[in-house]
Amino acid sequence: MIEQERPYRVEFVADAVCWTEAPESLAILHRQRTRWQRGLYDTLKRHRTMLFNPRYGVLGTLALPYFLLFEMLGPVLEGVALLLTIVMWASGLLNTELLPYMLLAMMGLGLVLSIGSLAYEDIVFHRYPRWRHIIVMAYLSLAETFGFRQINSLWRIEGLWQAIRNQN
C-alpha cells in the first residue's frame, strides 16, 4: 500500500483466535518447526526491501528486523555459541569456574522472560481459570530450558539451511 501510495489502516484485534495443530510426535514437531523456519526465511527474503527501511514504519524498522535478528538468526547464534563452548572446553580455553554462573545467568534470563510473558498474559487476558494451569506452565517453562530449547534450535537451523539451499 505504501509503494502504491494508497491509504490503508492496520487494526489490532486483541481477542483474535488462531489455531494450529499440536504435533502428535517429535517427528511431526520436527517437520513443523523446519517448515516454519523455511517460511520465515521466504517471507523475509520476499520483503527484504522493507527491512530496516523507515519508509515502512514500525514494520520496517522494528518488526521485520526483530524476526531477522532473533527468530531467524537467533538459533544460529545459539548453535555457534554451544559449539564454541564445547570446543573451548575441550581445548582447555574455557574458564570452567565462571561457566556455571554464565549458564545460570543465561538460563535464568530465559526463564524470567518466559515467566514474565506468562504473567503478562494472565494479567491482561485472564485466560487460565485456575492457578494450577499457570503453575504447570511455569514448570514447563523451566523444563523447556533444558533440552527442548536446544533441539528446537537445531531444527530451526536445519530449516534455515534447507531454505538457503532451496529444499522443500
Side-chain angles (χ1 to χ4, degrees):
M1 301 303 278
I2 289 172
E3 290 167 1
Q4 297 174 6
E5 298 180 2
R6 293 174 59 189
Y8 71 97
R9 191 168 117 180
V10 177
E11 294 190 30
F12 173 74
V13 179
D15 293 328
V17 177
C18 179
W19 299 96
T20 187
E21 274 189 41
E24 295 183 13
S25 68
L26 279 177
I28 296 170
L29 180 63
H30 172 227
R31 286 195 306 267
Q32 180 192 64
R33 297 307 162 101
T34 56
R35 183 178 65 248
W36 285 2
Q37 199 70 5
R38 289 191 312 267
L40 174 62
Y41 175 85
D42 183 57
T43 299
L44 290 172
K45 184 178 176 185
R46 286 176 191 251
H47 302 289
R48 64 186 170 272
T49 58
M50 296 173 71
L51 274 165
F52 304 102
N53 190 337
R55 179 177 181 200
Y56 296 98
V58 173
L59 180 63
T61 57
L62 291 177
L64 289 178
Y66 166 84
F67 280 102
L68 172 68
L69 298 172
F70 295 100
E71 296 297 328
M72 193 170 85
L73 298 178
V76 174
L77 295 175
E78 287 179 38
V80 168
L82 182 59
L83 284 175
L84 282 175
T85 302
I86 292 168
V87 168
M88 290 176 67
W89 174 77
S91 63
L93 297 173
L94 188 67
N95 182 340
T96 54
E97 292 177 18
L98 188 58
L99 180 63
Y101 300 107
M102 295 302 289
L103 289 174
L104 187 62
M106 179 187 69
M107 291 178 181
L109 178 60
L111 187 60
V112 165
L113 290 172
S114 294
I115 302 281
S117 298
L118 180 60
Y120 178 76
E121 170 79 17
D122 186 56
I123 290 167
V124 173
F125 297 110
H126 307 292
R127 292 180 203 235
Y128 307 107
R130 297 189 178 146
W131 275 98
R132 183 176 155 267
H133 297 144
I134 296 169
I135 291 169
V136 167
M137 284 189 287
Y139 170 76
L140 292 173
S141 295
L142 178 63
E144 182 262 349
T145 304
F146 304 100
F148 177 76
R149 179 177 181 84
Q150 292 77 21
I151 291 169
N152 192 35
S153 288
L154 182 64
W155 291 339
R156 292 170 64 194
I157 291 168
E158 181 183 350
L160 179 58
W161 181 245
Q162 289 170 355
I164 290 169
R165 293 180 60 215
N166 206 15
Q167 294 179 354
N168 289 323

